Amino acid sequence: MYNNPPRKGGDCMDKTVNEVYDNYIKYLALKNKITTNENIKYKFKNYILPFFGNMKINEVDENTYLEFQVYLKNFKYSNSFYEQVHGMCKNFFNYLSTIYNIKNISKNIESIKTDVVYKSNQSKGTFTKKEFKKFIKCVDNKIYHTLFTVLFFSGIRKGEALALTINDFKNNCLVINKTITKELFNGKRQILVPKTKKSNRIVKLDFLTCIQLKQLIKYYSTHYSNFNTNFFLFGGDKPIACTTLERKKNEYCKKAGVKQIRIHDFRHSHATLLYNNDVKVKMIQERLGHSDINITLNTYVHTDKEQEKRLIKKINLIHTIF
């Protein structure tokens, strides 16, 4: 079993970030999945170590981290990229302070993040039925039209959707038992089991969505000479890339003249749609694959203006006859 390196003492304080990095990766191997560690190693090798690598671990401070943020800006990547790198740095510096007993700057990282290179990637809202209708009318590609329809009317996660094969569409239901990684490992994205047992589920689909899926499968069978039931539902012989899906979503939102929401917000939209149509929260929880009903209530259920109007109407009625 891997043993932690010695705490403060001797020449430990003179070690560079490069020198302690290997021990850190061994430490992570005990707690993370292989694909998670591969992603961390990739980010460290290409973005973190080139900046911090030759610095002594006791010399890295808050000002250094601010300089690192400016350095990251040169890559001009997405907010999610900055968020990932930021989280990896925070965990790494926490590890260094624990093992080598040096100042823990990870405690201050939250307060020194700057808007220059890092912005929160929070939800920008959900699509109402009216907004989704405008959006989907502008999606002129059969595969993407069906994919966005499934995301909105099923509430499944992006990784779950992109991992689906034709075999997973049975009896007007989607069998959810795997997900696909965003990152490439050895040139391919990995198919993994879901993160929780509750994520393994069967999601029943509405009649019109089923028709679209059947038409899409028929399209594959007539346009691909190598067609088989192991084809990905969205992409055919290979899955759609997450970056391509994001780009397409942005293009269609702009074309439709609707607000830009995240791909994950299609899931929020579905939960809100069900809640606002009086579907019990317990059923929404099971459909989304949440292990905790509070996640469904506090994160995925949003109110809309129509529901607020109905609420005020009820209060007016109560007050009138009080």
Side-chain angles (χ1 to χ4, degrees), residues 223-262:
H223 287 77
Y224 288 80
S225 59
N226 60 335
F227 171 79
N228 62 79
T229 56
N230 290 318
F231 263 37
F232 289 96
L233 262 181
F234 306 111
D237 51 0
K238 61 181 180 180
I240 294 173
C242 294
T243 51
T244 303
L245 177 59
E246 187 71 28
R247 177 172 53 81
K248 288 291 187 180
K249 182 266 300 177
N250 291 341
E251 290 175 2
Y252 292 129
C253 281
K254 184 177 180 180
K255 185 177 179 181
V258 296
K259 62 178 177 279
Q260 291 284 353
I261 65 172
R262 303 172 305 170

Side-chain angles (χ1 to χ4, degrees), residues 188-200:
K188 294 182 178 180
R189 289 190 295 281
Q190 302 297 307
I191 303 293
L192 306 174
V193 296
K195 58 183 180 181
T196 66
K197 291 182 178 179
K198 277 284 188 179
S199 295
N200 289 288

